[in-house]
Amino acid sequence: ISVTVGTGDLADGGALIQTAGEAKDVGFAAGLVSITGGLASADSESGSLGGTVMVTAGASSAVGSDVSGNGGDVLVAGGYAAGAVGGSIQLLSGFSSATSSGDVQVLTANSGATGVSGGILMETGSALQSNSGDITLQVGTSFYGLGGAVAISAGASPTSKGGAIGLTTGTGVTSGDMGLTVGVGSDVGGKLELTAGTSEGADRIGGLLIATAGAATNSEGSVGGALILTGGASSALDTLGAGGDIIATGGAAEQGDGGNVQILTGASTLASSGDLAMGTADSGTAGNSGNVIIDTGYSAVGTAGNISMTVGATETFYGGNVYMTAGTTTADDVSGGAVMVTAGSGTSMNGGAGGALAFAAGQGNGGAGGAVAVSGGLSTLN
């Protein structure tokens, strides 16, 4: 069956309108408009395809780039409702009782010689007194195979900058949260990996990876957001179960210096700068508390790295102190921890000398220099 509307030689072409019947009585639905491709009922196992349904807007053969020469649009809209919920739109691929279900593809055509390719916009409507609609991207469950992936990729450009990906939560009295969570695995939990872009050009720099907590911009009593890095917990009840580590490593280099690792507390214009606290957690009922190890690396040719502990200078008050205190014990018949300061050994048999150990109190330009006091520990038994 072919239905064709006549051509307009000097005016618009004729319209083709299909409208189902109206229902005026209470409790009845208006008429349905159904367009279905033909059934392929052949009994053979191959060779018969169901009929295709094609909805194509009209083409325009106008040569100019004026808007009046655009191709026709395809508009699909759910029905209006005066008092209840408006009609929905569903795009559902075909079911197969034997093999895979059909795909759903939403594509824009390639651009011409001078234009840009069309965009794809997914947007829910605004709401006045209730919640605005959600956008959900969800892959179906697979009971015996692999779960499907979700891939979001920005456009590539061989001659210019590649496309960006921006994920932004909604603004409000309290802005929306953003969660990146890897699914639970009955055997091994999945990996969450954030990797900045690689640079392949000469004298170029690899991409930055920046994690910054939120700023608090109000001038009265506001506190900036915290940045928390926590290793994964372990619920194992045996001694083999350990909590996850946190490892911060500077980048490696082939010929130049390796990357630095810097931990710097926040500055303040008027008040104190932030503290830097390094400590291990208390032990459980059976183990030891963790060690704090500060160690510079081995050097095969040059000088091994120094360890420097320096208190900052001040212009208006006492200089800061350096405290080194070994651990106290309340156990019977054991000693408190020792403080050992040992200079480096020179192990070479050809002029290798041991390092010096120097204790020097501070210089006083207008007053007395600092004292050096070395005393043995007190005992309550004497």
Side-chain angles (χ1 to χ4, degrees):
I1 297 176
S2 177
V3 179
T4 305
V5 180
T7 303
D9 293 330
L10 300 178
D12 295 338
L16 176 61
I17 301 175
Q18 293 182 334
T19 304
E22 180 181 356
K24 293 186 176 181
D25 202 357
V26 177
F28 293 92
L32 172 70
V33 175
S34 178
I35 301 175
T36 306
L39 174 66
S41 58
D43 294 333
S44 62
E45 294 184 358
S46 61
S48 297
L49 299 177
T52 301
V53 175
M54 296 182 62
V55 179
T56 305
S60 173
S61 58
V63 178
S65 60
D66 187 80
V67 176
S68 61
N70 291 346
D73 298 326
V74 175
L75 303 177
V76 180
Y80 165 78
V85 179
S88 301
I89 296 176
Q90 292 185 351
L91 297 177
L92 182 65
S93 65
F95 169 75
S96 172
S97 59
T99 181
S100 303
S101 60
D103 297 329
V104 174
Q105 295 184 349
V106 180
L107 309 172
T108 64
N110 296 331
S111 70
T114 58
V116 298
S117 61
I120 295 178
L121 173 65
M122 298 177 63
E123 181 178 4
T124 63
S126 300
L128 295 178
Q129 297 181 356
S130 186
N131 299 332
S132 57
D134 298 327
I135 294 178
T136 303
L137 297 176
Q138 183 171 338
V139 178
T141 301
S142 174
F143 292 99
Y144 298 103
L146 298 177
V150 175
I152 300 176
S153 300
S157 174
T159 59
S160 186
K161 186 176 181 179
I165 295 178
L167 298 176
T168 305
T169 64
T171 59
V173 177
T174 300
S175 59
D177 297 329
M178 179 180 293
L180 296 176
T181 304
V182 179
V184 176
S186 59
D187 186 8
V188 178
K191 178 173 61 175
L192 177 60
E193 183 174 356
L194 299 176
T195 304
T198 301
S199 174
E200 296 180 346
D203 298 327
R204 295 296 185 264
I205 300 174
L208 296 175
L209 180 59
I210 302 174
T212 305
T217 58
N218 193 286
S219 60
E220 297 182 2
S222 58
V223 180
L227 179 61
I228 301 175
L229 299 176
T230 305
S234 173
S235 301
L237 299 179
D238 56 20
T239 57
L240 298 178
D245 299 327
I246 295 178
I247 301 174
T249 305
E254 293 291 336
Q255 300 293 332
D257 295 336
N260 299 323
V261 176
Q262 294 184 349
I263 302 176
L264 183 66
T265 66
S268 173
T269 303
L270 297 178
S272 302
S273 61
D275 296 331
L276 177 60
M278 297 176 58
T280 63
D282 296 338
S283 70
T285 57
N288 303 321
S289 62
N291 299 319
V292 175
I293 301 174
I294 301 176
D295 187 8
T296 63
Y298 169 79
S299 175
V301 179
T303 303
N306 300 320
I307 294 178
S308 176
M309 298 176 61
T310 304
V311 177
T314 178
E315 297 180 359
T316 60
F317 211 67
Y318 297 108
N321 299 318
V322 176
Y323 296 101
M324 298 178 61
T325 305
T328 301
T329 178
T330 59
D332 295 336
D333 299 327
V334 292
S335 307
V339 175
M340 300 177 63
V341 180
T342 305
S345 300
T347 59
S348 173
M349 299 301 293
N350 186 15
L357 182 61
F359 290 93
Q363 176 180 331
N365 290 332
V372 175
V374 179
S375 61
L378 299 177
S379 174
T380 59
L381 297 179
N382 297 332

